[in-house]
Amino acid sequence: MRPRAAHHLLAAACAASLAIPLAACDRTPAPDTSAARPANAELASFPAEWTYKPGAPAPTAAHGMVASNCPLATEAGVEILKAGGNAVDAAVAVGFALAVAYPEAGNLGGGGYAVVRTADGRSAALDYREMAPAAASRDMYLGPDGDPTDASLVGYRASGVPGSVAGMLALLDKYGTLDRQKVMAPAIRLARDGFDVDAALHRSLERNAKLIARFDGASLFLPGGAPPAVGAHFVQPDLAATLQRIADQGADGFYKGPVAEAVDREMKRHEGTITAADLTAYKAEWRTPIESSYRGHGLVAMPPSSSGGVTVAESLNILETWPQAAAWGSAEALHRLASAFQLAFIDRNRDLGDPAFVTDPVARLTSKAYAQTLRARIADDRATPTSTLSDTLPEGNQTTNFVVVDGHGNAVAITTTINSLYGSGVWVPGAGFFLNNEMDDFAAKPGTPNQFGLVQGEANAIAPGKRPLSAMAPTIVLDTGGSVLMLVGGRGGARIITAVTQAIVNTIDHKMSLADALGAPRIHDQALPDRIEYEKGGVGADVVAALEKMGYQTRPGGTGTLTAIRRVAGGWEGMVDPRATGLAAGY
Ligand code: DON
């Protein structure tokens, strides 16, 4: 086991992939610019040094729309929509296609969350987060010196029991209209017949070659020691067989039989933790969604075991205590945002955990009255140190979101992950997928930071069968009449929460187009470390100076990357964060 210091390398790799703007990948077609700016959007103004210019176009579509981080997966969703599937059918097709064509984060070996809003106004939330295996124990990642090691991040002991297959099938079962064979056909085709490697996949494999090379995925993903060339045809026969089993047998095709046996065998061979019995016992859980509001707009968001919905709702509630939004990008606006994030993260980090193990104070944390009491703790003109706000915290940042709407008005926002890019690095031979390293989302040692620098408490300590607290925040925003206005979610660990919140604020308060709401520079504050991180070039030097004068520590840093869809006159516009790869497309 390597000491915990190794985490910083991984965190740096993750943060770097978040902070560095990536060119859209080669397959991204020129967007339809016919409705670049909805009638009610105002032209945003960003600092001159900022990478993205306001007024960028977003693809639009009259019927259904899909936005994901992988063009092939988006195309799979659009194929299912065109074949008469609803948003859930298409989302399930996207989920499985991501597992094939976007292996850095799309997955069978991970987990996630889905928020659904049906055309007739019903909301639902599905938790298919990984669960700690039965062999897990509170101190399993502490080395002889009592400090966390890197075993929660890399290798056979880093994984929770995967929930993605159970999740996709539960969604399809409850809200889908097409059969499994039909919705899984695009993914099976991509795995069995292959696809051409694009620049994004090539680069992703190249950047993560060191991790992949340590385990059994190396022969497939790094043939001859290097990733397949751009344009090379890439076929995944083991994964195709696993997907076909799932299509034929349902969840049993994954959680029992040859696939489960392959996982069990690898785990035993390498002193891993997951057993066949853990796989059989896995269950996805339907939860009551967080239903909140922001300035008259409804919010449908993910409850625990993700902290995403609570923390986004709590942050927005605090911001709503100011009847008027401050000018976008001003020191005052950033002070309000940072203060709201700081307070909401203190509660998140201390109080939230798997509802099967702890009592999450969801109603209290998301109440408007509580937001007023928090607002009273925010000084008008200066920063408040986290240490003076929280006495229970000691001192002390890969995932993919996709969103789908159909012609009826059904909407699904999903975030799924194997945590770091390529998860634990472990790839299951014979079954063809990477396993997650979601165990690192637990507080391995309550009070000590994880790879995202999050300092979390007892509520998120490790226990067998427990789900690690997540920051994933697939969110659906409703208009004042209760119809779907916007779907948004993202990747970036704790930065998901702050990125999603800012996209909502940009849309509602600052009336930005979807492209501007996503392209606008963002900040991040998670209480500890006690500082504002801002995207380089995104906050003017005068504003940084004003924040520092208020007592903030500031430094350039990364943000999450988002995918979103928004209703516009005559249909939908979709957008993939300009910082990320992917495709928004519809019909
Ligand atoms: O569930 C969570 O909060 C994390 N496992 C998400 C990880 C993530 O977004 C990685 N991206 N950089």
Side-chain angles (χ1 to χ4, degrees):
M1 280 187 300
R2 284 187 297 176
R4 184 74 189 183
H7 284 204
H8 301 312
L9 295 176
L10 272 157
C14 180
S17 76
L18 300 171
I20 297 169
L22 299 174
C25 66
D26 297 349
R27 231 183 242 99
T28 307
D32 170 1
T33 59
S34 53
R37 202 142 46 89
N40 63 345
E42 292 170 8
L43 188 61
S45 167
F46 301 155
E49 303 76 35
W50 178 235
T51 318
Y52 309 111
K53 302 299 157 219
T60 59
H63 306 289
M65 189 97 202
V66 181
S68 88
N69 287 123
C70 170
L72 289 168
T74 294
E75 285 162 8
V78 175
E79 177 184 326
I80 294 298
L81 286 176
K82 283 185 177 161
N86 68 12
V88 167
D89 296 315
V92 173
V94 175
F96 282 115
L98 284 166
V100 181
Y102 192 64
E104 67 174 48
N107 66 83
L108 298 186
Y113 299 97
V115 172
V116 180
R117 177 80 175 180
T118 61
D120 60 4
R122 287 170 294 144
S123 300
L126 181 67
D127 177 338
Y128 57 96
R129 181 72 158 169
E130 299 89 330
M131 295 169 74
S137 59
R138 185 187 161 89
D139 296 336
M140 64 189 288
Y141 299 119
L142 299 185
D145 56 0
D147 284 335
T149 68
D150 78 346
S152 63
L153 277 169
V154 181
Y156 296 85
R157 296 175 61 77
S159 304
V161 183
S164 288
V165 172
M168 289 293 102
L169 298 183
L171 260 182
L172 188 65
D173 217 35
K174 186 146 181 190
Y175 292 104
T177 59
L178 301 180
D179 66 29
R180 256 190 336 254
Q181 299 284 351
K182 183 97 184 169
V183 299
M184 292 187 66
I188 294 172
R189 211 173 52 225
L190 285 167
R192 185 193 56 212
D193 303 342
F195 59 92
D196 295 345
V197 170
D198 65 5
L201 177 57
H202 176 84
R203 195 168 45 222
S204 167
L205 291 168
E206 201 169 43
R207 284 192 180 144
N208 295 280
K210 237 173 150 165
L211 175 67
I212 296 167
R214 288 177 61 180
F215 303 99
D216 292 290
S219 54
L220 179 68
F221 291 98
L222 303 170
V230 174
H233 199 66
F234 186 61
V235 183
Q236 300 174 74
D238 288 351
L239 182 55
T242 296
L243 289 167
Q244 191 62 57
R245 272 183 204 289
I246 297 167
D248 293 342
Q249 299 167 27
D252 283 357
F254 183 87
Y255 292 98
K256 294 179 180 166
V259 175
E261 285 157 19
V263 174
D264 186 80
R265 190 171 52 241
E266 288 309 301
M267 287 286 163
K268 285 205 171 86
R269 191 173 358 206
H270 300 280
E271 295 176 15
T273 40
I274 298 177
T275 63
D278 286 323
L279 288 160
T280 316
Y282 185 84
K283 261 186 77 204
E285 300 279 355
W286 289 99
R287 311 258 187 223
T288 306
I290 305 281
E291 304 222 38
S292 184
S293 66
Y294 182 60
R295 301 201 197 276
H297 294 72
L299 278 184
V300 187
M302 196 65 218
S305 64
S306 183
S307 67
V310 171
T311 314
V312 168
E314 187 175 338
S315 302
L316 289 171
N317 284 343
I318 297 169
L319 293 169
E320 198 184 53
T321 63
W322 284 277
Q324 296 291 329
W328 182 87
S330 63
E332 187 180 358
L334 300 188
H335 169 53
R336 292 183 190 179
L337 279 170
S339 303
F341 293 146
Q342 178 191 35
L343 290 162
F345 267 95
I346 287 171
D347 289 340
R348 173 211 186 272
N349 294 345
R350 183 190 53 222
D351 291 338
L352 300 183
D354 181 348
F357 288 77
V358 299
T359 306
D360 293 292
V362 172
R364 179 171 68 82
L365 297 185
T366 58
S367 85
K368 303 282 184 193
Y370 180 60
Q372 290 290 353
T373 68
L374 293 177
R375 162 70 190 283
R377 306 179 76 176
I378 302 174
D380 283 344
D381 52 357
R382 74 192 138 73
T384 306
T386 296
S387 57
T388 66
L389 290 167
S390 164
D391 47 10
T392 53
L393 279 173
E395 274 303 305
N397 159 48
Q398 282 285 295
T399 302
T400 187
N401 185 77
F402 56 103
V403 283
V404 185
V405 292
D406 63 26
H408 310 286
N410 299 300
V412 189
I414 292 184
T415 315
T416 181
T417 190
I418 42 179
N419 200 18
S420 309
L421 293 177
Y422 300 94
S424 65
V426 172
W427 184 84
V428 185
F433 54 87
F434 288 100
L435 285 168
N436 67 83
N437 59 354
E438 226 69 62
M439 293 296 284
D440 191 67
D441 279 351
F442 279 117
K445 181 177 180 182
T448 302
N450 73 352
Q451 72 162 329
F452 300 105
L454 283 169
V455 182
Q456 308 173 101
E458 285 299 329
N460 192 29
I462 307 174
K466 192 170 175 184
R467 295 168 198 246
L469 186 65
S470 172
M472 293 190 275
T475 303
I476 299 179
V477 181
L478 309 177
D479 64 17
T480 46
S483 300
V484 173
L485 173 68
M486 180 181 182
L487 297 78
V488 60
R491 87 184 210 181
R495 288 167 171 77
I496 296 170
I497 290 169
T498 52
V500 165
T501 303
Q502 286 169 88
I504 295 171
V505 166
N506 288 345
T507 301
I508 295 177
D509 287 347
H510 303 294
K511 311 225 171 337
M512 289 187 196
S513 68
L514 189 64
D516 289 351
L518 268 56
R522 296 191 278 262
I523 62 155
H524 177 72
D525 188 319
Q526 59 183 44
L528 289 177
D530 194 358
R531 63 181 178 226
I532 294 179
E533 293 181 22
Y534 60 92
E535 291 187 281
K536 218 170 169 191
V539 178
D542 53 331
V543 175
V544 172
L547 290 168
E548 288 177 351
K549 208 169 155 208
M550 292 167 89
Y552 282 103
Q553 288 205 23
T554 69
R555 71 167 216 191
T559 182
T561 59
L562 303 173
T563 46
I565 293 176
R566 174 183 175 164
R567 187 151 46 81
V568 290
W572 305 96
E573 60 178 349
M575 189 71 195
V576 175
D577 201 305
R579 300 161 185 82
T581 61
L583 174 67
Y587 78 107

